[in-house]
Amino acid sequence: MTAPRVRFAPSPTGSLHVGGARTALYNWLFARRHGGTFVLRIEDTDVERSRRELTDQILDAMTWLGLTWDEGPYFQSERSAIYLAAAGRLLAEGKAYRAFETAEELEAARKAGEAGGKVYRYSGAGRSLSREESDTRAAAGERFVLRLRMPDEPIVVQDAVQGRAEFLPEALDDFILVRSDGNPVYHFTVCVDDVEMGITHVIRGVDHLPNTPKHVALFRALGAEIPVFAHLGMILGPDGKKLSKRHGAAGAEEFRAAGFLPEALANFLALLGWSPGEDRERMSLEEMTALFSLERIGPSPSRFDHEKLTWLNGQLLQAVPPRRLLALLAPFGLPARDEGTLERAARLHLSRCRTLVEVSQSLRIYGDDPSEFEAAGLKKFGKPELMKSLRALASRLASVEPFAHAEMEEAARALATEAGVSLGALAQPARLALTGSLASPPLFEMIEVMGRETALRRMLAFADRIEGRTGAS
Ligand code: GLU
């Protein structure tokens, strides 16, 4: 294959939805796989709904996912002259024509048609105007739209993913290319740009398939080669309906904020429709690139399984090198501890966490001393009669050398044996004193990371509190 040129063409009327992110990813993978070019085009012709900050968000989310573009971003809002020049050419060549019906006339025709039980189609009246008449009326200032002269034969779309689709001429009227206010319509700008940018493969959501016959007709009118189309199946929520906000997070930025890794989201999205074969599940962008092909994309809708994404994220999280992990955790908050301590803490807690948010939350115990204690834990272990052994444990930990978990555990076991209690009876109040809760990673490993001073201070403060020495209850 000669080097393909593909594009991702988001409309900045919303943030990057997972559907859009998957489209961007597939285009990116395809370009990388074949040594092609990935073009980014911002389709912001709808000035009312397009917002610059949404464009920025989309670019950010793409960068976060690792989907860097080779060309662009091009902004359609800056390309009007190109569209109007193309419109002028189509008009001069007779492939498009002016239509002078007013909005009221069209509305009346629509109503009449519908009353007769027919699907409304533009009558094509403008087709029969002579060039002279059309020019004269335009020159006289009469308002008009520009319409494409559609072929009177079926249009066949040979889609690389969805297969063959045939669209009958009855269903395709001479649609508007340029509105009476001079603004080009969306279908027109897409095709002019695709031609102008030399796009060879159009990979996008299946919701655009019904538009494709219009695009094919336009490509032909523009004298361009028809690109290969690949329409990706819909992404559904667990209830089988189109994925939306109702199903929880649906935007790339939301997953980022919820503590997902970019490589996990990319990996997960890649498998929504594409199957690499060999039952592969965990793959880096490089591995996906090596295997990617349009042939292995299925036409059916896929289900977005949050649980699977979370599982995958947890898996990939375990493999993140410590340095990068801390950098990733920083936006979620890290206790003010030295890097070495934070790295050891993260390593200790990681296996219990599935997202960066969970890791960040679990590392809070290395920050401020706990001021609140879980009620159920207090009820069970916050008893004055248990504080004697908590103090005894603290005193053993004060002198244990080296200050390492194996040695601490040995000292604690010896103490338990001497006192005739179980290790658990010593450990649970300590856990509560140190973290405010009874859920924690292995106690002595945690204490080792926390440090002697912090651990002793918390244990003694807790004992004071329970014994009422500080006046607190
Ligand atoms: N701007 C369109 C969208 O955001 C994409 C158009 C296309 O890919 O052809 O859905």
Side-chain angles (χ1 to χ4, degrees), residues 17-19 22 234-244 247-250 255 260 264-273 281 301-314 354-355:
H17 184 269
V18 290
R22 181 191 58 173
M234 262 213 286
I235 301 181
L236 308 176
D239 57 358
K241 304 225 170 80
K242 192 174 175 192
L243 185 72
S244 75
H247 301 107
F255 285 102
F260 286 84
L265 186 59
N267 188 157
F268 176 77
L269 290 178
L271 299 175
L272 286 183
E281 248 180 350
S302 6
R303 257 170 224 254
F304 193 98
D305 181 349
H306 270 86
E307 199 41 51
K308 184 171 171 200
L309 169 59
T310 309
W311 171 82
L312 187 62
N313 199 61
R354 301 191 302 171
T355 66

Side-chain angles (χ1 to χ4, degrees), residues 7-13 23 27 41-44 76 186 190-191 194 202-205 207-208 211 215 231:
R7 83 307 196 270
F8 177 52
S11 304
T13 52
T23 298
N27 277 286
R41 180 168 84 219
I42 305 298
E43 304 206 319
D44 57 350
Q76 288 195 322
Y186 159 76
V190 167
C191 293
D194 283 344
V202 170
I203 305 169
R204 62 186 173 191
D207 44 331
H208 290 289
N211 300 331
H215 297 180
H231 285 95

Side-chain angles (χ1 to χ4, degrees), residues 144-281:
F144 62 86
V145 298
L146 194 69
R147 288 182 181 268
L148 185 72
R149 200 181 287 276
M150 287 292 277
D152 290 322
E153 55 193 42
I155 292 183
V156 172
V157 175
Q158 200 60 53
D159 192 272
V161 171
Q162 302 296 330
R164 184 181 189 277
E166 187 172 321
F167 299 85
L168 298 176
E170 300 83 273
L172 302 164
D173 60 3
D174 290 350
F175 64 98
I176 297 176
L177 303 180
V178 182
R179 294 192 191 88
S180 60
D181 59 7
N183 282 320
V185 303
Y186 159 76
H187 298 297
F188 186 46
T189 58
V190 167
C191 293
V192 171
D193 278 344
D194 283 344
V195 173
E196 172 84 12
M197 296 174 187
I199 299 304
T200 57
H201 294 72
V202 170
I203 305 169
R204 62 186 173 191
V206 74
D207 44 331
H208 290 289
L209 185 58
N211 300 331
T212 307
K214 292 184 177 179
H215 297 180
V216 168
L218 255 171
F219 283 120
R220 285 188 191 142
L222 291 164
E225 223 173 281
I226 314 286
V228 173
F229 290 104
H231 285 95
L232 313 174
M234 262 213 286
I235 301 181
L236 308 176
D239 57 358
K241 304 225 170 80
K242 192 174 175 192
L243 185 72
S244 75
K245 285 256 173 251
R246 284 180 301 111
H247 301 107
E253 290 288 351
E254 288 169 86
F255 285 102
R256 181 184 192 174
F260 286 84
L261 298 168
E263 62 266 38
L265 186 59
N267 188 157
F268 176 77
L269 290 178
L271 299 175
L272 286 183
W274 172 60
S275 103
E278 312 162 15
D279 272 344
R280 296 284 297 267
E281 248 180 350

